Amino acid sequence: MSTPVTDEFVRRVRDTTEGTPYVVTRTSSGFDLSLDVADAQWFGLFNRAGLRKVFVHHVKVTSDTFSITDDSTEIRWEAGHPKIAGSASRSMGRSIEFGHEKIWAIRDDGTVGRVVDYKFDSEEGRDLITLIGKDLGLAAKAGGAEKIGLYAALSVPVLIVLGLLLVLVLWLTGQI
């Protein structure tokens, strides 16, 4: 469903990412922002840099809010072409990853030098989306997968305390 705020959000993100390896894809509830690993202009760079993960930021937009769900997928390079790996390496929710790699080796021209100089920040795309969303007057909220993870993380200590209380009560009543 297309709304004026969603259309403006998509337009601004597309304008901001023009000339970069990011691609914006419209969805029924908003849009996705991801690296365009299949574009010939960029896949050579990604291959040389040793790109191993791709993040798709799924953005859901309502009239006054937006949420971002990160979708991390491992990539395998075969014969210089990207191939997305199986879903066993996939994670969704809020993913924060940073990386930096420098490799010195013999270059194609026979000289020794830096052949890989790569920095990665999974927050780069998310920060761009958040900046534009807030500029449009939208409030950021947690995505569904992020909420489920947070609730699960918060419920574990509560369940541990309840279990310890149950053991204490059973011990005090002489049942264990």
Side-chain angles (χ1 to χ4, degrees), residues 40-82:
Q41 176 183 1
W42 303 109
F43 79 74
L45 172 69
F46 294 148
N47 185 23
R48 283 191 309 275
L51 181 69
R52 289 187 278 290
K53 284 197 176 187
V54 170
F55 281 80
V56 177
H57 303 287
H58 301 287
V59 182
K60 183 177 179 181
V61 183
T62 66
S63 59
D64 56 350
T65 66
F66 70 96
S67 64
I68 306 169
T69 300
D70 300 331
D71 187 354
S72 171
T73 307
E74 183 180 338
I75 292 211
R76 293 189 192 131
W77 295 89
E78 294 181 12
H81 297 293

Side-chain angles (χ1 to χ4, degrees), residues 5-6 8-10 12 131-138:
V5 71
T6 305
E8 180 64 11
F9 205 154
V10 169
R12 285 195 188 183
L131 182 68
I132 293 171
K134 289 189 176 185
D135 189 51
L136 288 169
L138 302 174

